[in-house]
């Protein structure tokens, strides 16, 4: 539950298996934990700098 891998989905769709670190408002804003996320669209762009 460190959230070091927190990033924002800029383009595409992903599914997050587990989330014990992000608040609901962060998820609603497009943030995910990359270590718990897999792509469900052909192209995914993640931004690790917008924290």
């Amino acid at each position: 539950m460190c959230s070091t891998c927190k990033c924002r989905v800029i383009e595409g769709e992903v599914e997050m298996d587990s989330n014990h670190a992000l608040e609901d408002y962060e998820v609603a804003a497009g943030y995910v934990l990359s270590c718990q996320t897999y792509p469900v669209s052909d192209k995914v762009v993640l931004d690790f700098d917008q924290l």
Side-chain angles (χ1 to χ4, degrees):
M1 296 193 307
C2 69
S3 75
T4 301
C5 65
K6 176 182 170 182
C7 61
R8 187 165 186 213
V9 179
I10 302 300
E11 185 178 335
E13 293 183 45
V14 299
E15 289 288 331
M16 192 165 40
D17 283 338
S18 181
N19 173 26
H20 299 289
L22 299 177
E23 299 292 335
D24 290 340
Y25 71 89
E26 292 174 302
V27 175
Y31 288 95
V32 295
L33 300 172
S34 63
C35 71
Q36 296 294 316
T37 301
Y38 60 92
V40 294
S41 62
D42 289 336
K43 181 179 180 181
V44 174
V45 177
L46 303 176
D47 185 349
F48 288 85
D49 295 325
Q50 289 186 11
L51 300 177

